[in-house]
Amino acid sequence: GAAALLDDDDDDDNGATKMNPLRANDDALKQIMRRVFEEIKPFVTRHEPDVPEEDLPELSRTRDLSKADFTVQWSRFCAKRKVNPAEYVKNLSETIQRQIEEDGNRDGFIKSVQGVGPYMNIFVKRQKVFKLAINAIIEQGTKYGCTNAGQGKKVIIEHTSSNPNAPLHIGNLRNVMIGAHLARVMQACGCEVTQAFYVNDLGAQIGLTALAYSRIYTKIKPTMKIDQWIGAMYAVMNTCQELQQVGVQPGDLEDACKAGEDAVKALLEKSLAEAGNDEKKIKGINEYFDIYQDLRGRFQDMMEVMIQDVREILDIKTEAGKLNLAYERQEPWAIKIFRKMVIDCLTGVQETLSNYGVKHDRFDFESELGWEGSNDKVLEIMKNSDYFVPQTQCNDKGVPQGAYLDMDAFIRDQKFKVGKGGYQKDYPPLYVLR
């Protein structure tokens, strides 16, 4: 069976002594390659007993396994000794091959060698190599492949970091898989790894969601996974905001939906007529009428409750902005709304991540960077830079332009390489958006 296949005393070894096992936490291939080269060294030192270790060439893998398993390039070694590399390799290969044929190299790895120009091509006893590798894998179990190469190094891997107002989508999950697996690779290399989730709890999307959450959370119980529920709130409130932007009150559309298809059609025609020749408005009206009705078909119970409050909000965009500003100013009532919503959403997100065995070590909130003054400090440093260009309503092209750092001037002043092998075109400005 399997045990017999992996037994070091099988008939193919012809009574060879047992192989020393591979060391844990050390690359298996490199260990095998070192052992193969150790079999070649005695033939070199027999003629040059004082050859320095650093002069010896390295064994490397071949690209084409039909030609050899490993190869050694002797050109530099021979150049130092002023000998013909092809002739040296031919003689060395023939000597090694003769020895193998005489005693079978029972305890060694090398099966045969062949000189090809300055290259010594080597074939190994594959069964022996496979046996050694498989035994190491079985012995080390889940630890196989781990090393100490990164021992003492601290690594922070920030991944996932989805907006905390909706469930994960396929794009988020792609980042989860990349980040989480990279973390495990780094851990397997001996690094001390921290997996971080950057919580984007500021911005227009979050403010809109918080506005919806604050209006309906206590009035209706979730009917689905909490992050999906919060994502639905955002989708509805954003649609209501977009309707207002094109001159349609969400409450009017809700009344029309309750009245029936003819009422919806009449409201649509009226809204399009009021839009006149404004193509952007016309497009928005058609688009968001459809989206509203689609959402209503999926979340009708929630929407009926939400619209009762939305009717009282004359400008959703402004109200969401005020809520965001209150949160940035650390007003306790706003913090209570945002943090409850964000943590509820992250709870649902973590439930999804747990299905994939992913767990973050820390959650860093964007809002806290503002509260502790980090954002202001960075902005101040940028403003004091020699490369800072302030905001203007009329730049050299006659159009408004936000504040930015002139990175192209910075690159020139620092004398960084430009053109081939360097920056091949003007570096774009670094805009200050905060």
Side-chain angles (χ1 to χ4, degrees):
L5 177 65
L6 301 177
D7 184 358
D8 289 331
D9 290 328
D10 70 0
D11 293 339
D12 286 341
D13 281 339
N14 298 319
T17 57
K18 287 191 175 184
M19 296 177 288
N20 291 326
L22 299 178
R23 294 189 303 276
N25 297 325
D26 196 359
D27 187 281
L29 178 61
K30 288 182 179 178
Q31 290 186 67
I32 290 169
M33 289 171 70
R34 281 197 294 268
R35 294 190 188 186
V36 169
F37 195 71
E38 286 299 317
E39 294 181 26
I40 297 172
K41 280 174 63 176
F43 293 95
V44 179
T45 55
R46 185 179 303 169
H47 299 290
E48 296 187 64
D50 299 324
V51 62
E53 189 75 23
E54 61 270 17
D55 278 7
L56 291 172
E58 291 184 357
L59 185 79
S60 61
R61 298 177 68 183
T62 56
R63 295 180 181 179
D64 186 351
L65 292 177
S66 66
K67 294 181 179 178
D69 295 315
F70 302 105
T71 190
V72 183
Q73 217 268 33
W74 294 88
S75 294
R76 184 179 297 178
F77 179 88
C78 292
K80 269 193 166 186
R81 285 150 184 80
K82 298 181 180 179
V83 296
N84 184 298
E87 199 172 303
Y88 181 90
V89 172
K90 179 177 179 293
N91 292 335
L92 181 60
S93 299
E94 288 176 352
T95 301
I96 296 173
Q97 186 61 35
R98 214 169 24 248
Q99 184 70 38
I100 291 171
E101 290 171 359
E102 287 175 5
D103 65 13
N105 193 26
R106 292 187 306 164
D107 298 332
F109 284 97
I110 298 177
K111 181 180 179 181
S112 64
V113 297
Q114 182 182 20
V116 180
Y119 294 92
M120 177 191 289
N121 289 342
I122 302 167
F123 284 95
V124 296
K125 298 174 183 176
R126 292 189 178 182
Q127 184 178 5
K128 197 162 198 165
V129 171
F130 293 167
K131 200 182 295 181
L132 199 64
I134 291 170
N135 282 337
I137 293 169
I138 293 172
E139 171 117 9
Q140 295 175 38
T142 58
K143 293 291 184 183
Y144 179 76
C146 296
T147 76
N148 294 320
Q151 194 167 27
K153 295 180 180 178
K154 294 184 178 181
V155 178
I156 296 177
I157 298 177
E158 180 256 314
H159 67 84
T160 310
S161 302
S162 56
N163 284 340
N165 68 330
L168 296 173
H169 54 66
I170 192 67
N172 298 139
L173 286 170
R174 174 182 177 274
N175 293 335
V176 170
M177 294 300 105
I178 293 172
H181 282 83
L182 180 59
R184 291 178 184 180
V185 168
M186 300 299 282
Q187 286 169 338
C189 292
C191 298
E192 183 182 332
V193 179
T194 298
Q195 297 186 62
F197 189 122
Y198 183 71
V199 183
N200 174 24
D201 59 335
L202 289 177
Q205 293 182 17
I206 311 301
L208 272 175
T209 316
L211 182 61
Y213 182 90
S214 66
R215 298 300 179 105
I216 74 164
Y217 183 77
T218 59
K219 297 177 182 178
I220 184 171
K221 290 184 177 180
T223 56
M224 61 187 74
K225 191 161 163 279
I226 190 63
D227 53 334
Q228 296 173 342
W229 180 244
I230 291 172
M233 290 182 197
Y234 166 67
V236 172
M237 188 59 86
N238 183 62
T239 300
C240 290
Q241 174 191 251
E242 294 296 338
L243 285 167
Q244 283 188 346
Q245 296 297 304
V246 293
V248 179
Q249 285 303 321
D252 294 342
L253 182 51
E254 177 62 23
D255 291 340
C257 289
K258 287 180 178 178
E261 190 175 327
D262 289 342
V264 173
K265 186 177 179 181
L267 180 60
L268 176 60
E269 290 174 352
K270 176 176 176 289
S271 301
L272 290 171
E274 290 174 352
N277 295 321
D278 190 329
E279 292 184 7
K280 188 176 180 181
K281 268 193 175 182
I282 291 170
K283 182 182 177 183
I285 290 168
N286 284 311
E287 181 179 355
Y288 286 100
F289 260 64
D290 288 344
I291 293 174
Y292 186 93
Q293 291 174 87
D294 175 67
L295 290 172
R296 195 173 187 275
R298 290 187 283 157
F299 312 116
Q300 184 172 344
D301 291 344
M302 182 182 74
M303 287 181 71
E304 287 179 349
V305 174
M306 186 184 294
I307 296 301
Q308 293 175 18
D309 279 290
V310 168
R311 292 177 190 273
E312 301 172 5
I313 306 174
L314 297 178
D315 189 335
I316 293 172
K317 187 174 183 179
T318 299
E319 283 300 308
K322 288 178 181 177
L323 191 56
N324 248 334
L325 190 58
Y327 184 49
E328 288 194 44
R329 290 174 175 170
Q330 301 184 65
E331 296 185 23
W333 63 271
I335 292 175
K336 186 176 179 181
I337 294 170
F338 274 78
R339 283 301 168 97
K340 179 72 169 65
M341 180 201 78
V342 167
I343 290 171
D344 277 352
C345 189
L346 290 176
T347 300
V349 167
Q350 184 56 60
E351 187 179 329
T352 302
L353 293 175
S354 296
N355 292 331
Y356 301 95
V358 176
K359 186 176 181 180
H360 292 81
D361 301 299
R362 55 190 270 187
F363 291 80
D364 299 314
F365 288 74
E366 181 183 358
S367 54
E368 293 178 5
L369 292 176
W371 295 348
E372 71 184 21
S374 296
N375 292 337
D376 292 336
K377 289 174 185 175
V378 171
L379 284 174
E380 195 60 32
I381 291 170
M382 295 174 89
K383 287 178 180 178
N384 289 329
S385 166
D386 292 337
Y387 304 98
F388 179 76
V389 180
Q391 178 177 319
T392 178
Q393 293 303 311
C394 184
N395 64 10
D396 55 0
K397 295 181 181 177
V399 296
Q401 187 172 20
Y404 66 91
L405 291 180
D406 187 349
M407 299 306 296
D408 195 48
F410 173 77
I411 289 168
R412 288 197 308 271
D413 289 351
Q414 296 298 316
K415 295 182 170 47
F416 291 152
K417 189 174 182 180
V418 294
K420 189 175 181 180
Y423 296 96
Q424 297 188 29
K425 53 186 176 181
D426 290 349
Y427 200 91
L430 177 63
Y431 283 96
V432 183
L433 300 177
R434 185 65 185 162

